[in-house]
Amino acid sequence: MAASYGLLVFRLNIPNKLIFLSKCRSLHSSGTLKLSPAVSYVQIRNSSDAKFKILPLDPIDHHEEKFDKILIANRGEIACRIIRTCRQMGIKTVAIHSDVDTTALHVKMADEAYCLGPAPTNKSYLNVNAILDVIQKSSTQAVHPGYGFLSENMDFAQKLENLGIVFIGPNWKSIAAMGDKIESKRIAAKARVNTIPGFDGVVQTPEECVKIAQEIGYPVMIKASAGGGGKGMRIAWNDKEAMEGFRFSSQEAQSSFGDDRLLVEKFVDNPRHIEIQVLCDKFGNGIYLNERECSIQRRNQKVIEEAPSTFVDEKLRKAMGEQAVALAKAVGYDSAGTVEFLVDSKKNFYFLEMNTRLQVEHPITECITGVDLVQQMIRVAKGHKLKIKQTDVGINGWAIESRVYAEDPYKNFGLPSVGRLYKYIEPTYIPNVRCDSGIQEGSEISIFYDPMICKLITYGPTRDATISSMINALDAYVIRGVSHNIPLLRDIMTEENFVKGNLSTKYLYEVYPDGFHGKQLSEKELEHLASLCGCIFVRHETRSAHFLNQPQPPLESTLPAGWNLIAEINGRNVELLVSERKQIFEVTVNGKIITIPGDILLSSPVLETTIGGEPYTCQLIKHDGAGNLRIRFGGTTFSVRVLTEVAAEYERIMPQKPAKDVSKVVSAPMPGLLKSIACKVGDTVVEGQEVCVIEAMKMQNSLAIGTTGKVKTVHCKEGEAVEEDQIIIELE
């Protein structure tokens, strides 16, 4: 049967709710959905037909012996995710928290909760003595560390063991062996795992770092020996960058892990980052649960992951999986863990590191295998054997995870944002969507912790169907109060290279060489957005004229039959003629008539409509009544001005406000802590010189001056907290 494009219509059991779920698809006789070249949408209104079933490979056995109570030594989404599985298993949970997390979601979800101290991590979530006190007070039997914080801390695991408390993770000897990147490379080589050439030892000084880098050959990767998650990692292409990389990486490593040791290794240029999930028990059994593609990164931190990888074939999967299990068995590993590899274009793969913990992106593995990794970690820690064999593990469909961060994606692909979420609605009503989050409406994103809002996961029978669900989930995700990276995530989902699966760790920098600037509207999309904004303007004007809270007030003779408007979008003026007949808007733009349903609800956080017969899911974020709109369209938020012809004429003769000269000031690009200031009043600084360093969410950010001059004022002191756009240094 030949492929054809059309509208797939289903029903969803949500009254009066239309969910626009996927881009236009071609439906073949095989039932496979594929992306069409057309940039239009599909409505899916039936959850029963659209729902993709995840089959559990090892369902919970309530007759199996289990822990009575588990403490989660973490916060946020991972703490909430662990609590959910514990509830399903019938296990009570204990939460810990800092004073600023008193009302956090994980605290509310747990059966018990205890405050550890102030917000800084070394006084709360990294305060081992305080956590041990809570363990004794709560009569906890076991501790799940999640990821980050103490999850790979050998001393913490050993202290728990000495107290007779079970650490839900690998034994401390495995953590010691694999948590240290230098030692892990040596063990990997002995286990005949492919390794990257590099310096086999700890780098002591910046000068030694440069010498080693020269011997290995640029480019090199400078990274923290202890820890992961992109913290304490820098790529150096020359001697200067090696010196700077040593300084910043050691500072970040000390701040994040309490260990500033570094190593240097060859940087494999333009590789894919592919990791293998392993699962082992205490009886020598080990399996691998396929791979995850994690190549889309910024600053060595993952942005989007998927499972399986479009690049990995069965032969490569088997080879990587067997090496990963061999490495785990070589250190007596007995929990869930991840072995990370770099893979070049010829499918040569090299061991990168082993994460001896639960990975952030573990949900996509759960979606395609049906294995609850938290459940398995708890079972293994209790002393049960794995019931799953390697031959049981298959690949059921596809899964993608988008990391939704409180970040401004227009600043270096994501500088942190802080604030309170005054409106927050997750798109969980859309089929095949999973949201792993630790926040709710009213939650605050602070400078002290990771800026992650949610792990948004979609899954389906094919990669195309999964991308479709992700597109629509991102469009319907309502987040107000902080900047977020949904515009970038949404744009990637329709980007040609991503759709084709052409990925590498350079993806973001190759696709967006000048940085991310939001969705680039086609002429058709520009007309559609302008038309929608014109209709919103008219709807607001007609409602205001009646002073009634009615969605569709009748037009009267006091209002014009047609509205001549001008919509300003991205420096473009689009002329519109808007009229309403029989509850349908007709918009004339560039000689074409575009129809839009008249049932526009200005109060709805998600605006689902059709424009010229094509379904769209948009969000009207702000409308001040004077024609100034902020609207999310295609994932990106656009500022649009809608003016009448008379108002536009007045606008043209208004004097322009002169632009400010910002070259003589250094302002904070994000909220954070001022770690150092490299100048004082009266000093002469030159263009491009580093003048201060800001730490935000454990990442060091160097700030440089934009011109040469003499320092007039230093407005802040080292150790102070600064707000976004706050002026730190000013020149004469």
Side-chain angles (χ1 to χ4, degrees), residues 204-266:
Q204 302 290 345
T205 65
E207 292 74 21
E208 185 183 7
C209 181
V210 171
K211 181 181 177 183
I212 293 169
Q214 291 173 342
E215 291 173 353
I216 296 172
Y218 290 108
V220 297
M221 173 69 80
I222 303 165
K223 61 183 181 181
S225 176
K231 304 294 194 302
M233 297 177 69
R234 288 290 193 283
I235 299 170
W237 295 81
N238 53 51
D239 291 352
K240 179 183 177 183
E241 291 181 1
M243 293 280 284
E244 293 176 348
F246 180 91
R247 179 163 65 100
F248 286 121
S249 292
S250 59
Q251 290 173 358
E252 289 175 2
Q254 181 63 44
S255 176
S256 298
F257 316 116
D259 185 342
D260 63 357
R261 293 177 303 143
L262 301 177
L263 61 86
V264 180
E265 63 187 17
K266 181 70 176 176

Side-chain angles (χ1 to χ4, degrees), residues 414-442:
L415 292 184
S417 173
V418 300
R420 188 175 297 278
L421 299 170
Y422 65 84
K423 184 172 285 295
Y424 182 75
I425 304 173
E426 295 178 345
T428 50
Y429 53 82
I430 296 177
N432 307 337
V433 171
R434 168 177 167 178
C435 289
D436 280 19
S437 67
I439 60 172
Q440 56 191 339
E441 195 162 285

